[in-house]
């Protein structure tokens, strides 16, 4: 098949239709009905300051605070005779054990803060970057905890001239808070093991999320050991002030932002399911009505953590993006059957109450750098893109949507997208077809002979001057991102966010 066949805004209903009505070349204008009643309206004038605009100084301050905290911890260790204690093999092992334990405790608290959903931190970094940093800090802190345990046992055993096993047992059985700390460490081991990618693939999101909550308990159970046994935590007034401050900040952030704020928003907005609409095989939209939704300050492109009060399993949170811009009285999400939790949503009854956390995410108008837009969506990744196309400010001809799906039947919001094309001048290109088994590409298999970046330039010749929004499966987004970079799109004009877990 030639390059000129790439990209169809038409929709042949059969093989005969495909033969009789060939696909237009790349960049051909979209042909859509203009007499059908539309449901898409032009967006309101853009506010001077977007409600979710990321303020980069928050990001810088958060990063500086994290690095500064580790400097403070090392300084407190030094002030408590850290260097002086490094004499002899036993002293060196014990001294380094103290230092690794202090830094590990600090990193564990930073890890808690990273995922506490602190609004200005979340908006500054975005969910994708926060999750990446959370994983890096988590594995680093766990490795330091392991080093702390091994070094302390070796150092104490060398000093007392006892065996390693007997020394380890003496520490657990006779030192204050050590039984609790051992239990906390076992919980951290469970969390780390289930966070390894190979293990996560075998777990449902809901199961992994429940197990991951035990990390908070693991951190909490280590605190008595730190206060009762760790002299470095309580040796000076400065040490006590520092550690109690960071403990309070971590605990307060969880109470306020993970518990209090979601409870307040759930009560204030009183969301309930209004109706459930089938969009495609195994895909449904949930229309939710509520009160004063504009006070959420949500934007197209963002997501919430949703809990539906429908019986057993209601406490499991599900991250779903808005599939339409928020309205003062309603929201809409669209869900594909990807597991037990999403499958059950097709059976949710109207009137069911909804608990919410959010809005989260920075895949919004606030990240725009250019006037022109290219939207790249695959599968259910169309949901935030569909909302953005309605909410964003652009003129006819300034926005292009490239929509990938395995089959024609998998395209959802077809009518809505065609109406956006007719009313707002979006150029829509549908690309059905299965993935190539031979290489990682964003193109369907029938175009596997094409280079990914060449295909992008054929579809959008001036793509280097566009903001490119990307949403879909991880591997597909990676392929699009790589192609866009090769096509000359600066990295700051690439916008994507992953629901990593």
């Amino acid at each position: 098949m030639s390059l000129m066949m790439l990209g169809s805004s038409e929709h042949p209903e059969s093989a005969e239709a495909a033969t009789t009505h060939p696909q237009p070349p790349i960049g051909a204008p979209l042909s859509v009905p203009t007499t059908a009643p539309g449901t898409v309206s032009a967006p309101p004038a853009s506010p001077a300051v977007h409600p979710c605009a990321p303020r980069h100084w928050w990001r810088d301050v958060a990063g500086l605070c994290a690095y500064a905290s580790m400097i403070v911890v090392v300084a407190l260790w030094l002030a408590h005779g850290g260097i002086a204690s490094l004499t002899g093999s036993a002293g060196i092992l014990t001294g380094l054990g103290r230092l690794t334990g202090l830094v590990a405790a600090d990193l564990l608290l930073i890890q808690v803060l990273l995922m506490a959903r602190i609004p200005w931190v979340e908006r500054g970094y975005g969910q994708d970057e926060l999750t990446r940093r959370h994983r890096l800090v988590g594995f680093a802190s766990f490795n330091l905890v392991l080093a702390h345990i091994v070094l302390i046992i070796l150092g104490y055993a060398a000093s007392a001239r006892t065996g390693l096993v007997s020394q380890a047992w003496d520490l657990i059985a006779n030192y204050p808070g050590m039984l609790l700390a051992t239990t906390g460490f076992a919980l951290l081991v469970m969390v780390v093991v289930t966070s390894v990618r190979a293990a996560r693939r075998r777990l449902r999101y809901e199961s992994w999320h429940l197990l991951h909550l035990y990390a908070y308990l693991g951190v909490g159970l280590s605190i008595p050991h730190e206060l009762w046994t760790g002299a470095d935590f309580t040796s000076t007034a400065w040490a006590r002030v520092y550690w109690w401050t960071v403990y309070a900040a971590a605990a307060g952030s969880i109470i306020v932002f993970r518990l209090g704020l979601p409870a307040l928003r759930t009560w204030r907005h009183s969301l309930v399911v209004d109706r459930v609409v089938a969009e495609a095989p195994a895909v449904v939209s949930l229309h939710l009505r509520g009160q004063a939704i504009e006070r959420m300050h949500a934007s197209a492109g963002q997501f919430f953590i949703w809990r539906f009060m429908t019986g057993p399993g209601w406490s499991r949170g599900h991250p779903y993006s808005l599939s339409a811009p928020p309205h003062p009285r309603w929201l809409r999400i669209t869900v594909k059957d990807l597991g037990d939790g999403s499958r059950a949503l097709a059976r949710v009854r109207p009137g069911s109450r909804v608990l919410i956390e959010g809005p989260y995410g920075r895949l919004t108008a606030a990240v725009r750098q250019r006037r022109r837009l290219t939207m790249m969506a695959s599968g259910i990744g169309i949901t935030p893109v569909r909302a953005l196309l309605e909410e964003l400010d652009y003129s006819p001809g300034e926005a292009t949507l490239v929509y990938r799906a395995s089959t024609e039947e998998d395209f959802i919001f077809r009518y809505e997208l065609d109406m956006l094309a007719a009313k707002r001048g979006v150029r829509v290109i549908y690309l059905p077809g299965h993935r190539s088994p031979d290489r990682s590409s964003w193109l369907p298999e029938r175009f596997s002979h094409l280079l990914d970046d060449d295909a992008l330039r054929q579809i959008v010749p001036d793509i280097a001057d566009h903001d490119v929004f990307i949403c879909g499966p991880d591997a597909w987004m990676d392929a699009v991102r790589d192609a866009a970079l090769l096509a000359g799109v600066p990295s700051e004009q690439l916008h994507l966010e992953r629901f990593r877990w």
Side-chain angles (χ1 to χ4, degrees):
M1 184 174 291
S2 70
L3 182 63
M4 297 300 287
M5 295 288 288
L6 176 62
S8 173
S9 56
E10 298 287 338
H11 173 165
E13 299 294 351
S14 64
E16 180 181 349
T19 303
T20 308
H21 304 286
Q23 297 175 328
I26 294 176
L30 182 70
S31 174
V32 296
T34 57
T35 58
T39 58
V40 177
S41 59
S46 301
V49 178
H50 195 276
C52 294
R55 299 181 181 178
H56 296 292
W57 66 269
W58 285 346
R59 177 186 177 117
D60 296 336
V61 168
L64 286 173
C65 286
Y67 287 114
S69 70
M70 288 182 281
I71 294 173
V72 169
V73 165
V74 174
L76 290 173
W77 176 76
L78 291 171
H80 193 233
I83 293 294
S85 68
L86 301 179
T87 57
S89 60
I92 292 173
L93 290 168
T94 304
L96 293 178
R98 287 168 48 207
L99 179 59
T100 53
L102 289 167
V103 177
D106 193 62
L107 288 178
L108 283 170
L109 293 171
I110 291 174
Q111 185 184 16
V112 170
L113 289 168
L114 280 173
M115 300 307 286
R117 303 289 193 188
I118 302 172
W120 49 91
V121 175
E122 199 272 341
R123 290 172 188 167
Y125 284 95
Q127 174 70 11
D128 200 19
E129 181 67 12
L130 277 180
T131 302
R132 188 183 70 85
R133 290 173 181 255
H134 172 71
R135 283 180 57 80
L136 290 174
V137 172
F139 282 113
S141 61
F142 180 76
N143 289 333
L144 285 170
V145 169
L146 278 177
H148 165 69
I149 293 170
V150 172
L151 289 168
I152 288 294
I153 292 173
L154 289 172
Y156 277 41
S159 177
R161 300 184 184 280
T162 60
L164 297 180
V165 174
S166 60
Q167 183 60 64
W169 176 251
D170 180 59
L171 287 170
I172 294 172
N174 298 319
Y175 281 67
M178 282 301 300
L179 281 174
L180 292 175
T182 302
T183 304
F185 177 68
L187 293 174
L188 291 178
V189 170
M190 177 188 69
V191 171
V192 168
V193 168
T194 56
S195 295
V196 175
R197 285 189 175 88
R200 285 184 319 190
R201 293 191 192 102
R202 299 175 180 271
L203 291 171
R204 296 180 305 162
Y205 168 80
E206 297 86 357
S207 300
W208 174 89
H209 185 264
L210 180 62
L211 291 172
H212 210 63
L213 294 177
Y214 283 100
Y216 295 124
L217 181 58
V219 173
L221 290 175
S222 70
I223 293 176
H225 153 64
E226 294 165 3
L227 298 178
W228 298 341
T229 308
D232 293 283
F233 290 85
T234 58
S235 58
T236 66
W238 286 110
R240 290 192 293 272
V241 167
Y242 174 77
W243 286 109
W244 280 115
T245 299
V246 293
Y247 289 147
S253 297
I254 295 300
I255 292 169
V256 172
F257 299 117
R258 293 303 295 261
L259 300 175
L261 189 57
L264 174 63
R265 285 177 171 161
T266 295
W267 170 77
R268 174 189 288 171
H269 302 294
S270 302
L271 286 173
V272 297
V273 177
D274 184 65
R275 65 186 188 276
V276 179
V277 177
E279 301 284 0
V283 178
V284 296
S285 286
L286 280 76
H287 295 250
L288 312 161
R289 67 177 187 273
Q291 303 172 1
I293 290 175
E294 71 279 2
R295 294 179 65 185
M296 289 184 183
H297 301 297
S299 298
Q302 292 190 295
F303 69 96
F304 290 76
I305 307 296
W306 308 87
R307 292 177 173 86
F308 295 87
M309 305 289 285
T310 55
W314 68 267
S315 61
R316 299 169 185 162
H318 308 280
Y320 298 127
S321 297
L322 299 175
S323 61
H327 183 273
R329 291 185 301 278
W330 60 267
L331 298 171
R332 185 181 75 176
I333 60 174
T334 302
V335 181
K336 185 175 183 179
D337 179 359
L338 296 174
D340 292 347
S342 52
R343 184 179 305 122
L345 295 184
R347 302 188 297 272
V348 171
R349 294 181 179 179
S352 299
R353 292 196 60 195
V354 185
L355 310 183
I356 56 170
E357 292 180 47
Y360 301 129
R362 60 196 300 269
L363 195 71
T364 67
V367 300
R368 285 183 69 178
Q369 306 287 322
R370 294 289 186 269
R371 178 72 184 173
R372 293 180 177 274
L373 302 164
T374 295
M375 301 289 192
M376 306 287 294
S378 177
I380 199 64
I382 190 63
T383 53
V385 170
R386 153 65 185 92
L388 283 165
L389 280 171
E390 183 172 347
E391 183 178 274
L392 295 182
D393 179 26
Y394 53 87
S395 300
E398 290 184 335
T400 297
L401 167 64
V402 179
Y403 186 7
R404 278 276 291 114
S406 296
T407 67
E408 291 281 354
E409 291 72 25
D410 291 325
F411 289 119
I412 61 174
F413 304 136
R414 184 104 194 202
Y415 177 77
E416 295 179 23
L417 294 173
D418 288 350
M419 292 311 303
L420 279 166
K423 292 198 165 203
R424 299 205 55 200
V426 182
R427 186 163 65 101
V428 182
I429 296 170
Y430 297 100
L431 286 178
H434 294 284
R435 292 176 293 179
S436 171
D438 301 323
R439 68 181 180 117
S440 178
S441 171
W442 67 269
L443 293 164
E445 182 179 7
R446 68 183 187 278
F447 298 115
S448 59
H449 60 286
L450 301 176
L451 294 176
D452 283 8
D453 55 310
D454 285 346
L456 268 185
R457 279 189 290 258
Q458 287 288 330
I459 295 172
V460 188
D462 61 342
I463 194 168
D465 194 40
H466 286 222
D467 274 310
V468 181
F469 288 77
I470 309 168
C471 194
D474 281 354
W476 186 85
M477 288 197 294
D478 290 339
V480 174
R481 180 199 59 202
D482 294 344
L485 290 171
L486 288 173
V489 180
S491 59
E492 63 269 17
Q493 292 168 219
L494 290 174
H495 314 296
L496 66 160
E497 204 159 31
R498 307 171 199 267
F499 292 122
R500 283 177 173 165
W501 55 276

